[in-house]
Amino acid sequence: MTQLERARAGEVTSAMERIAEREQVDPEYVREQVAEGQAVIPANRHHDALDPMIIGREFSTKVNANIGASETTSDISEELEKLHTAVHYGADTVMDLSTGGGDLDAIRQANVDHSPVPVGTVPIYEARKQVDAVEDLTAELLLDVIEKQAEQGVDYMTIHAGVLMEHLPLTDGRKTGIVSRGGSLLAQWIEENAMQNPLYTHFEEICEIFAEHDVTFSLGDGLRPGCIADAGDEAQYAELETLGDLTRTAWDHDVQVMVEGPGHVPMDQIPEQIERQREVCDGAPFYVLGPLVTDVAPGYDHITSSIGAAIAGQSGAAMLCYVTPKEHLGLPDKEDVRDGLAAYRIAAHAADVANDRPGASDWDDALSEARYAFDWNEQFDLALDPERAKEYHDQTLPGDNYKDARFCSMCGAEFCSMRIDQDARDADGEMDDIADDTDLDESPAADVNRPPVGSHDTSNVPPVEDVVDDATEDLLADD
């Protein structure tokens, strides 16, 4: 039985109990949200290392990190390093988007075996690697790949079943055409074969595979806009209507569903797009890439997109797919993963504060109190990225004696406003003490809104060396 089927039957599963602990809510509330399709628990029954989490607009906003090897760079060791970086810096899920870099099965299995967070994939990538040309893809091959990845323990899969033959002419006149990799592959297949999308025509068979292994659908937005000029066009919304129908079909098979959202949207259009998805897809969780709110900043798209992500989260998006500084430019390395996650953890947290999630701002209050008290070490400990905060402080004031200083190098001692304010309050004047009573141990905030980030249960994760050694043995056996 899937988590959805069990929730509908009134059962509170062990995964729901763990999620209730992490979100600080009643387990019955978790069950109700899952049963109604308003939240998903991506938890393949073969993923032994998983620490269960939930994605839904009534819970804390989550962040996904994309990793993956390409044709030209990266291998299994580097991918595991990126996985570790992603988890350490606060990814709630990761997607393995590998298209090269060695044995894709070994890379995927290593990621699943070593990840305490849900792992997602896009099966059509592997299927494309197995044929000489796109038009050679078959429904049988796609189903075989999907089933194999389900058996490996993949928790959710992006399935671009909403890209239909009749939608393709609607992309004419766009500035950037079809920018989704999966969407473009399927569009080419449809054009070459003059047949309907096989992921659409065989969708119920995919549902059966997902139900067997409890895999969650991440219905892909294959016709998403690739620039702000294309946002909200007829092609995007035609696909969305199909995704709404597919959502209900998956629910009929007791399979969990979240729906992927657009990548480039002007700021003023974001709330309306979130609301439209909610209406069309009956409240299924919305998982958005960005969106980027401007197209002028290659090299800084982790910033252009995190602006949109914060607005999307405030408007009801359940999970934000991070963008790194390398977006549109190259394959991200571990430092890019770190920078992308920092930008998106900020966006997710800011959205939760804006939405008045219980205790979300307690973290902000605690750090502000440490800042005012010039407790530098406490500031570092409470920071989203403690290593980065300490590194920047110590670039100009590295000595231990400066950890007690009542100033930093920006203003110096004479012009530090907080020191001046403290001295004024210590004098016999009208100003009195300030509030400094935040206790994070008593905060009702969800795990993701309390430091440190990346606080997953890793007790079932094997050592990296074991995973790499096992993968190497498999490769040698295949040879």
Side-chain angles (χ1 to χ4, degrees):
M1 296 175 70
T2 65
Q3 292 287 332
L4 176 56
E5 189 175 5
R6 295 165 75 179
R8 286 172 165 174
E11 178 185 355
V12 174
T13 66
S14 59
M16 295 172 198
E17 292 277 4
R18 171 59 177 152
I19 287 162
E21 177 186 353
R22 300 183 74 181
E23 296 283 332
Q24 296 213 59
V25 297
D26 189 281
E28 178 61 20
Y29 183 69
V30 176
R31 186 201 65 77
E32 290 173 355
Q33 287 289 302
V34 173
E36 294 169 5
Q38 307 301 289
V40 298
I41 302 173
N44 187 313
R45 57 177 55 95
H46 308 302
H47 188 170
D48 296 334
L50 182 68
D51 187 10
M53 52 81 72
I54 196 164
I55 301 166
R57 68 179 179 277
E58 296 301 326
F59 299 92
S60 56
T61 307
K62 304 305 190 300
V63 174
N64 171 71
N66 290 337
I67 59 175
S70 75
E71 291 279 2
T72 57
T73 55
S74 194
D75 57 21
I76 189 169
S77 297
E78 188 174 341
E79 286 310 302
L80 285 173
E81 188 173 21
K82 280 193 273 186
L83 170 65
H84 172 77
T85 301
V87 172
H88 177 72
Y89 288 109
D92 298 299
T93 77
V94 296
M95 289 200 77
D96 178 356
L97 305 185
S98 296
T99 57
D103 186 299
L104 296 183
D105 286 339
I107 291 173
R108 186 182 314 108
Q109 193 66 66
N111 279 329
V112 170
D113 290 346
H114 196 64
S115 178
V117 303
V119 175
T121 61
V122 187
I124 196 171
Y125 296 171
E126 182 186 354
R128 173 63 185 89
K129 294 285 292 181
Q130 295 186 22
V131 294
D132 293 329
V134 173
E135 57 266 29
D136 297 331
L137 287 168
T138 65
E140 291 72 26
L141 174 61
L142 289 166
L143 291 171
D144 286 346
V145 169
I146 289 168
E147 185 165 27
K148 178 184 65 177
Q149 293 191 8
E151 290 170 349
Q152 284 187 295
V154 171
D155 301 289
Y156 66 96
M157 299 186 202
T158 295
I159 304 295
H160 297 92
V163 179
L164 303 186
M165 180 185 295
E166 54 267 36
H167 297 161
L168 301 187
L170 302 178
T171 65
D172 295 345
R174 279 185 163 188
K175 289 189 179 297
T176 55
I178 299 174
V179 299
S180 158
R181 282 194 292 195
S184 63
L185 289 170
L186 287 163
Q188 183 179 356
W189 187 93
I190 292 168
E191 290 286 286
E192 294 286 347
N193 291 285
M195 295 172 63
Q196 188 57 279
N197 180 352
L199 295 176
Y200 178 77
T201 57
H202 291 75
F203 188 75
E204 295 203 54
E205 293 170 67
I206 301 172
C207 288
E208 291 171 6
I209 295 171
F210 279 22
E212 180 180 353
H213 302 279
D214 202 357
V215 178
T216 297
F217 273 108
S218 185
L219 291 177
D221 53 340
L223 300 182
R224 67 175 178 266
C227 61
I228 61 173
D230 294 340
D233 70 356
E234 195 174 358
Q236 178 190 343
Y237 286 143
E239 181 188 29
L240 180 61
E241 291 291 334
T242 303
L243 297 183
D245 293 337
L246 295 173
T247 294
R248 290 179 280 276
T249 298
W251 283 343
D252 288 343
H253 288 77
D254 290 318
V255 176
Q256 300 181 94
V257 185
M258 56 183 170
V259 179
E260 296 184 11
H264 296 244
V265 181
M267 288 169 56
D268 60 303
Q269 295 183 26
I270 294 172
E272 121 191 16
Q273 291 216 9
I274 302 295
E275 182 58 31
R276 185 162 182 164
Q277 182 276 341
R278 183 186 302 179
E279 292 176 358
V280 171
C281 299
D282 294 343
F286 205 15
Y287 166 29
V288 298
L289 175 68
L292 284 73
V293 296
T294 180
D295 298 320
V296 302
Y300 298 94
D301 279 334
H302 60 310
I303 298 173
T304 65
S305 63
S306 65
I307 295 169
I311 299 171
Q314 183 184 14
S315 302
M319 185 160 74
L320 314 175
C321 183
Y322 89 158
V323 172
T324 76
K326 290 276 181 63
E327 185 76 8
H328 304 115
L329 301 172
L331 187 72
D333 60 22
K334 65 177 183 178
E335 277 305 303
D336 299 316
V337 170
R338 177 183 184 179
D339 290 342
L341 274 167
Y344 272 71
R345 282 259 59 102
I346 293 167
H349 179 69
D352 286 346
V353 170
N355 286 329
D356 200 24
R357 296 285 182 222
S361 63
D362 290 348
W363 185 2
D364 303 75
D365 293 344
L367 196 145
S368 297
E369 291 166 12
R371 178 175 291 146
Y372 185 83
F374 295 105
D375 189 338
W376 294 102
N377 287 321
E378 181 71 358
Q379 284 188 67
F380 303 151
D381 289 343
L382 292 175
L384 183 81
D385 184 343
E387 298 96 337
R388 180 64 54 83
K390 186 175 187 300
E391 173 193 351
Y392 281 4
H393 174 273
D394 290 358
Q395 282 177 358
T396 50
L397 299 174
D400 288 342
N401 57 307
Y402 290 115
K403 300 303 186 292
D404 298 319
R406 297 173 68 206
F407 61 89
C408 70
S409 62
M410 182 174 182
C411 297
E414 185 176 358
F415 288 98
C416 177
S417 59
M418 288 190 179
R419 180 200 60 78
I420 295 168
D421 182 81
Q422 286 181 2
D423 290 347
R425 290 178 188 279
D426 288 341
D428 293 330
E430 296 297 322
M431 295 191 296
D432 207 340
D433 294 336
I434 61 169
D436 59 356
D437 54 356
T438 301
D439 184 353
L440 285 178
D441 290 336
E442 297 298 321
S443 173
D447 275 1
V448 298
N449 285 318
R450 295 195 293 177
V453 299
S455 56
H456 312 283
D457 180 357
T458 59
S459 59
N460 292 320
V461 176
V464 174
E465 304 79 39
D466 292 351
V467 176
V468 174
D469 289 346
D470 290 345
T472 302
E473 288 179 11
D474 290 344
L475 286 172
L476 292 174
D478 291 340
D479 291 341

